[in-house]
Amino acid sequence: MALWRAYQRALAAHPWKVQVLTAGSLMGLGDIISQQLVERRGLQEHQRGRTLTMVSLGCGFVGPVVGGWYKVLDRFIPGTTKVDALKKMLLDQGGFAPCFLGCFLPLVGALNGLPAQDNWAKLQRDYPDALITNYYLWPAVQLANFYLVPLHYRLAVVQCVAVIWNSYLSWKAHRL
């Protein structure tokens, strides 16, 4: 509980910084889980640069973009009724999620040094499966998130659930 209270104080004092650092930390954790539990690399074969890339993506892309999206979405559809939450989820999953994945996957490829042609081929191969997998998890999470969670905690809640999602995305994005 003390850790949670410290997080709440930090979030109140520096909301944007804390949200971005939370996203980066949990993206890194997702990559560690991917490398150690899914890919079973072991500590000797762990690709630290890859984990650092995912942390950087969390801090520099995921945190700011998703955090900003939630603010825009809350201004566009104010309110927390069930109908408001449903509208937000539909807009999030129908508009934002496809665009976000379409940016995230090639960004990882570019940061990993993939040539543009290979990156495009990888996006064409991986995007449909990633988007379909997204729809298995995120609509229910986002519906609950938009209905039950105050705006300033939404990114943190999503990023906690996203540890599993980030493990999948890291595996998907780094699979050649």
Side-chain angles (χ1 to χ4, degrees):
M1 288 308 280
L3 186 60
W4 176 246
R5 283 192 295 276
Y7 179 81
Q8 287 179 308
R9 283 192 303 276
L11 188 60
H14 306 284
W16 192 249
K17 289 178 193 174
V18 171
Q19 288 180 351
V20 166
L21 290 173
T22 300
S25 300
L26 294 174
M27 289 285 295
L29 179 60
D31 181 66
I32 291 167
I33 291 169
S34 176
Q35 289 193 54
Q36 296 305 315
L37 299 180
V38 177
E39 300 166 40
R40 301 189 186 279
R41 289 183 176 274
L43 295 177
Q44 297 296 340
E45 298 297 318
H46 187 89
Q47 297 174 342
R48 287 166 186 80
R50 176 178 143 177
T51 300
L52 186 57
T53 297
M54 294 302 283
V55 169
S56 299
L57 275 168
C59 291
F61 178 70
V62 175
V65 170
V66 176
W69 167 243
Y70 288 157
K71 288 179 182 177
V72 167
L73 195 56
D74 238 40
R75 279 191 217 116
F76 188 64
I77 305 171
T80 57
T81 68
K82 290 177 186 174
V83 171
D84 295 331
L86 180 62
K87 288 178 187 176
K88 289 176 187 179
M89 183 276 293
L90 290 172
L91 207 60
D92 180 69
Q93 292 301 300
F96 181 77
C99 295
F100 178 80
L101 280 174
C103 293
F104 179 84
L105 292 171
L107 186 55
V108 172
L111 289 173
N112 286 328
L114 274 183
Q117 190 172 1
D118 294 345
N119 206 0
W120 175 246
K122 185 168 175 22
L123 178 65
Q124 289 177 308
R125 182 190 75 203
D126 292 347
Y127 179 81
D129 183 52
L131 188 60
I132 289 167
T133 304
N134 168 84
Y135 290 137
Y136 284 117
L137 173 66
W138 288 109
V141 170
Q142 290 294 53
L143 194 57
N145 196 31
F146 294 136
Y147 183 60
L148 300 171
V149 180
L151 176 62
H152 58 283
Y153 289 121
R154 285 187 191 147
L155 183 60
V157 167
V158 163
Q159 284 301 312
C160 287
V161 173
V163 168
I164 304 300
W165 177 247
N166 295 340
S167 300
Y168 166 78
L169 272 186
S170 181
W171 169 79
K172 178 64 90 177
H174 290 95
R175 199 173 54 113
L176 297 176

Short mmCIF file of all heavy atoms in Angstrom, two decimals, residues 7 14-28 55 58-60 63-64 155 159:
data_model
loop_
_atom_site.label_atom_id
_atom_site.label_comp_id
_atom_site.label_asym_id
_atom_site.label_seq_id
_atom_site.Cartn_x
_atom_site.Cartn_y
_atom_site.Cartn_z
N TYR A 7 3.05 6.17 -5.48
CA TYR A 7 2.71 6.32 -6.90
C TYR A 7 1.63 7.39 -7.08
O TYR A 7 1.74 8.25 -7.96
CB TYR A 7 2.25 4.98 -7.49
CG TYR A 7 1.88 5.07 -8.95
CD1 TYR A 7 2.86 5.03 -9.93
CD2 TYR A 7 0.55 5.19 -9.35
CE1 TYR A 7 2.53 5.12 -11.27
CE2 TYR A 7 0.21 5.29 -10.69
CZ TYR A 7 1.21 5.25 -11.64
OH TYR A 7 0.88 5.35 -12.98
N HIS A 14 3.34 15.04 -10.74
CA HIS A 14 3.93 15.05 -12.08
C HIS A 14 3.20 14.04 -12.98
O HIS A 14 3.77 13.01 -13.35
CB HIS A 14 5.41 14.67 -12.02
CG HIS A 14 6.21 15.50 -11.08
ND1 HIS A 14 6.60 16.78 -11.38
CD2 HIS A 14 6.67 15.23 -9.84
CE1 HIS A 14 7.28 17.27 -10.36
NE2 HIS A 14 7.34 16.36 -9.41
N PRO A 15 1.94 14.33 -13.33
CA PRO A 15 1.14 13.32 -14.02
C PRO A 15 1.75 12.83 -15.35
O PRO A 15 1.81 11.63 -15.60
CB PRO A 15 -0.20 14.00 -14.26
CG PRO A 15 -0.01 15.43 -13.96
CD PRO A 15 1.21 15.57 -13.12
N TRP A 16 2.19 13.74 -16.17
CA TRP A 16 2.70 13.35 -17.49
C TRP A 16 3.98 12.52 -17.37
O TRP A 16 4.11 11.47 -18.00
CB TRP A 16 2.92 14.58 -18.36
CG TRP A 16 3.15 14.24 -19.79
CD1 TRP A 16 4.31 14.39 -20.48
CD2 TRP A 16 2.20 13.71 -20.71
NE1 TRP A 16 4.14 13.97 -21.77
CE2 TRP A 16 2.85 13.54 -21.94
CE3 TRP A 16 0.87 13.34 -20.61
CZ2 TRP A 16 2.22 13.03 -23.07
CZ3 TRP A 16 0.24 12.83 -21.75
CH2 TRP A 16 0.91 12.68 -22.94
N LYS A 17 4.91 12.98 -16.54
CA LYS A 17 6.18 12.26 -16.37
C LYS A 17 5.94 10.86 -15.82
O LYS A 17 6.54 9.89 -16.29
CB LYS A 17 7.11 13.01 -15.41
CG LYS A 17 7.70 14.28 -15.95
CD LYS A 17 8.55 14.94 -14.89
CE LYS A 17 8.91 16.35 -15.27
NZ LYS A 17 9.62 17.04 -14.20
N VAL A 18 5.08 10.75 -14.83
CA VAL A 18 4.82 9.45 -14.20
C VAL A 18 4.14 8.51 -15.19
O VAL A 18 4.49 7.33 -15.27
CB VAL A 18 4.00 9.62 -12.90
CG1 VAL A 18 3.53 8.28 -12.37
CG2 VAL A 18 4.83 10.34 -11.85
N GLN A 19 3.19 9.02 -15.96
CA GLN A 19 2.51 8.17 -16.94
C GLN A 19 3.49 7.66 -18.00
O GLN A 19 3.47 6.49 -18.37
CB GLN A 19 1.37 8.93 -17.61
CG GLN A 19 0.19 9.14 -16.70
CD GLN A 19 -0.94 9.90 -17.37
OE1 GLN A 19 -0.81 10.42 -18.47
NE2 GLN A 19 -2.07 9.96 -16.69
N VAL A 20 4.37 8.54 -18.47
CA VAL A 20 5.35 8.16 -19.49
C VAL A 20 6.35 7.15 -18.92
O VAL A 20 6.67 6.14 -19.57
CB VAL A 20 6.05 9.42 -20.05
CG1 VAL A 20 7.29 9.07 -20.84
CG2 VAL A 20 5.07 10.22 -20.91
N LEU A 21 6.84 7.39 -17.72
CA LEU A 21 7.79 6.45 -17.10
C LEU A 21 7.13 5.11 -16.78
O LEU A 21 7.77 4.06 -16.90
CB LEU A 21 8.41 7.07 -15.85
CG LEU A 21 9.37 8.23 -16.11
CD1 LEU A 21 9.80 8.88 -14.80
CD2 LEU A 21 10.58 7.76 -16.90
N THR A 22 5.86 5.15 -16.38
CA THR A 22 5.13 3.90 -16.13
C THR A 22 5.01 3.10 -17.42
O THR A 22 5.27 1.89 -17.43
CB THR A 22 3.73 4.20 -15.56
OG1 THR A 22 3.86 4.91 -14.32
CG2 THR A 22 2.93 2.93 -15.33
N ALA A 23 4.65 3.77 -18.49
CA ALA A 23 4.53 3.08 -19.79
C ALA A 23 5.87 2.47 -20.20
O ALA A 23 5.93 1.31 -20.62
CB ALA A 23 4.02 4.04 -20.86
N GLY A 24 6.94 3.23 -20.06
CA GLY A 24 8.26 2.71 -20.43
C GLY A 24 8.68 1.53 -19.58
O GLY A 24 9.18 0.52 -20.10
N SER A 25 8.46 1.63 -18.29
CA SER A 25 8.84 0.53 -17.38
C SER A 25 8.07 -0.74 -17.69
O SER A 25 8.64 -1.83 -17.74
CB SER A 25 8.57 0.94 -15.93
OG SER A 25 9.32 2.07 -15.59
N LEU A 26 6.77 -0.59 -17.93
CA LEU A 26 5.95 -1.77 -18.18
C LEU A 26 6.16 -2.34 -19.58
O LEU A 26 6.02 -3.54 -19.78
CB LEU A 26 4.48 -1.47 -17.89
CG LEU A 26 4.21 -1.17 -16.41
CD1 LEU A 26 2.77 -0.73 -16.20
CD2 LEU A 26 4.54 -2.36 -15.54
N MET A 27 6.55 -1.50 -20.54
CA MET A 27 6.94 -2.02 -21.86
C MET A 27 8.22 -2.84 -21.72
O MET A 27 8.35 -3.91 -22.32
CB MET A 27 7.17 -0.87 -22.85
CG MET A 27 5.94 -0.14 -23.30
SD MET A 27 4.90 -1.01 -24.47
CE MET A 27 5.95 -1.11 -25.89
N GLY A 28 9.15 -2.35 -20.94
CA GLY A 28 10.38 -3.10 -20.69
C GLY A 28 10.11 -4.42 -19.99
O GLY A 28 10.67 -5.46 -20.37
N VAL A 55 11.66 -0.10 -23.75
CA VAL A 55 11.52 0.94 -22.73
C VAL A 55 11.45 2.31 -23.41
O VAL A 55 10.60 3.14 -23.08
CB VAL A 55 12.68 0.88 -21.72
CG1 VAL A 55 12.69 2.12 -20.82
CG2 VAL A 55 12.60 -0.38 -20.87
N GLY A 58 8.17 2.82 -25.02
CA GLY A 58 7.16 3.10 -24.00
C GLY A 58 7.20 4.55 -23.55
O GLY A 58 6.16 5.21 -23.45
N CYS A 59 8.41 5.05 -23.31
CA CYS A 59 8.56 6.43 -22.84
C CYS A 59 8.36 7.45 -23.96
O CYS A 59 7.79 8.52 -23.74
CB CYS A 59 9.94 6.63 -22.23
SG CYS A 59 10.19 5.78 -20.67
N GLY A 60 8.84 7.13 -25.15
CA GLY A 60 8.85 8.11 -26.23
C GLY A 60 7.68 8.03 -27.19
O GLY A 60 7.40 8.98 -27.91
N GLY A 63 3.60 5.88 -24.17
CA GLY A 63 3.11 6.72 -23.08
C GLY A 63 2.52 8.03 -23.57
O GLY A 63 1.35 8.34 -23.27
N PRO A 64 3.29 8.81 -24.35
CA PRO A 64 2.73 10.08 -24.82
C PRO A 64 1.53 9.92 -25.76
O PRO A 64 0.55 10.65 -25.64
CB PRO A 64 3.91 10.73 -25.57
CG PRO A 64 5.12 10.10 -25.00
CD PRO A 64 4.73 8.71 -24.62
N LEU A 155 -4.05 5.25 -18.11
CA LEU A 155 -2.83 4.76 -18.75
C LEU A 155 -2.15 3.71 -17.88
O LEU A 155 -1.70 2.68 -18.39
CB LEU A 155 -1.88 5.92 -19.07
CG LEU A 155 -0.60 5.54 -19.81
CD1 LEU A 155 -0.89 4.89 -21.15
CD2 LEU A 155 0.28 6.77 -19.98
N GLN A 159 -1.58 -0.07 -18.89
CA GLN A 159 -0.21 -0.57 -18.97
C GLN A 159 0.00 -1.80 -18.08
O GLN A 159 0.82 -2.66 -18.40
CB GLN A 159 0.80 0.53 -18.63
CG GLN A 159 0.98 1.53 -19.76
CD GLN A 159 1.46 0.87 -21.04
OE1 GLN A 159 2.39 0.09 -21.06
NE2 GLN A 159 0.79 1.20 -22.13
#
